[in-house]
Amino acid sequence: MEETKTAAAANLEVFSEVLQNLAATDKDIMVVTSDSRGSGKLVPFGQKYPEQIVEVGIAEQNLVGVAAGLASMGKKAFAVSPACFLTARALEQIKNDVAYSDNPVKLIGISAGVSYGALGTTHHSLHDYAVLRAINNITIVAPADNFETAEAIKAAAQMTSPVYIRFGKKGMPENLQQNPNPSDFKIGKGRVIQEGNDLTFIATGEAVLPCVEAARLLQKDHQISCKIISLHTIKPLDTELLLAAAAMGKPIITAEEHSVNGGLGEAVASLLFQNGCTNTFKIVGLPDDHTVSGSQIEIFNHYGISGEGLKNTALNLIKL
């Protein structure tokens, strides 16, 4: 997966730094981890604020239950655990203790998607968008870069309803937007990374970066101008922005580090089709099959979630 902008830090590292800054002046910030403070980059947090972190061990169901209890008492509880376990093993607790009980827990899914690479399907979270989209009363966010990460955590700390925020492990650019606007972030609103007239990429999380590379290649080699939307909030969708993009009448490609079933692509397709849109449309993600093993980059390349792969998808779509 090629990069067009220099990677700054992993979004998880930014998450940790922002959380430390918030905790310095807000004693209600509480972190609950499931033997994951190392992988969650929370060792510095624990050293600075030992009374604001709870370790439950490898017990994800307890993790969510404890976080829900803290949230019910007015604490700003961040439950941090690998996404593959948090949204599978503890799904009942997320559904009942958090969403149904309306406890404003901030669920942080780390090492998401195929970040664990060669560890394989047991450690991949390609289902989390799908299962959480089907649960009422939970917001779903997947930041694309360091800027979106920082803003998402600051916003989550103030939210009075449940939220799930998903992070990978890879170093990401500080800000992918062509003309960065410091105020251009709001939960529930997509962010236009760049404008374009011939095709629209809609992506979320770490899948936004290869769309930027694909757009560069399409412009350079084929004079195709691409609009790129970072749809960091998958639920609720930014219906206004998406319908405006579809109104251009040009092809649309969605990209996500998730199964093609039940994720970003199907959410966008459902919205557009139910509103009478007839754009040529393609979902790029992980197929409904046993996934290949390898690093995140190797897996992305295999399934076409790369600059070159998305460029070819775009060319094929435009030819239809």
Side-chain angles (χ1 to χ4, degrees), residues 150-174:
E151 295 304 311
I153 295 304
K154 287 185 282 188
Q158 302 305 317
M159 288 180 66
T160 56
S161 59
V163 59
Y164 171 70
I165 305 180
R166 185 200 222 228
F167 293 119
K169 297 169 66 176
K170 190 175 183 294
M172 300 303 291
E174 183 176 348

Side-chain angles (χ1 to χ4, degrees), residues 9-31 40-46 48-49 52 76 78 80 106 108 143 145-158 165 167 174 185:
N11 288 337
L12 263 178
E13 295 172 357
V14 176
F15 153 69
S16 177
E17 291 172 6
V18 172
L19 204 57
Q20 290 174 61
N21 292 337
L22 293 173
T25 57
D26 189 347
K27 298 306 178 185
D28 284 334
I29 297 285
M30 293 290 297
V31 173
K41 308 299 181 184
L42 290 167
V43 171
F45 184 99
K48 289 182 180 179
Y49 311 108
Q52 289 174 255
K76 299 173 182 178
F78 286 77
V80 183
K106 299 86 172 69
I108 309 297
D145 55 29
N146 295 172
F147 168 76
E148 289 186 0
T149 297
E151 295 304 311
I153 295 304
K154 287 185 282 188
Q158 302 305 317
I165 305 180
F167 293 119
E174 183 176 348
F185 184 92

Side-chain angles (χ1 to χ4, degrees), residues 11 14 23 34 52 68 70 85 133 141 150 154 161 189 211 220-221 223 241 257 262 273 275 284 288 296:
N11 288 337
V14 176
S34 56
Q52 289 174 255
L70 289 168
F85 306 131
R133 282 182 60 225
V141 180
K154 287 185 282 188
S161 59
K189 293 295 181 182
C211 292
K220 173 178 174 288
D221 298 335
Q223 292 74 56
L241 178 61
E257 189 179 359
F273 191 62
N275 281 274
V284 177
D288 187 9
Q296 183 200 44

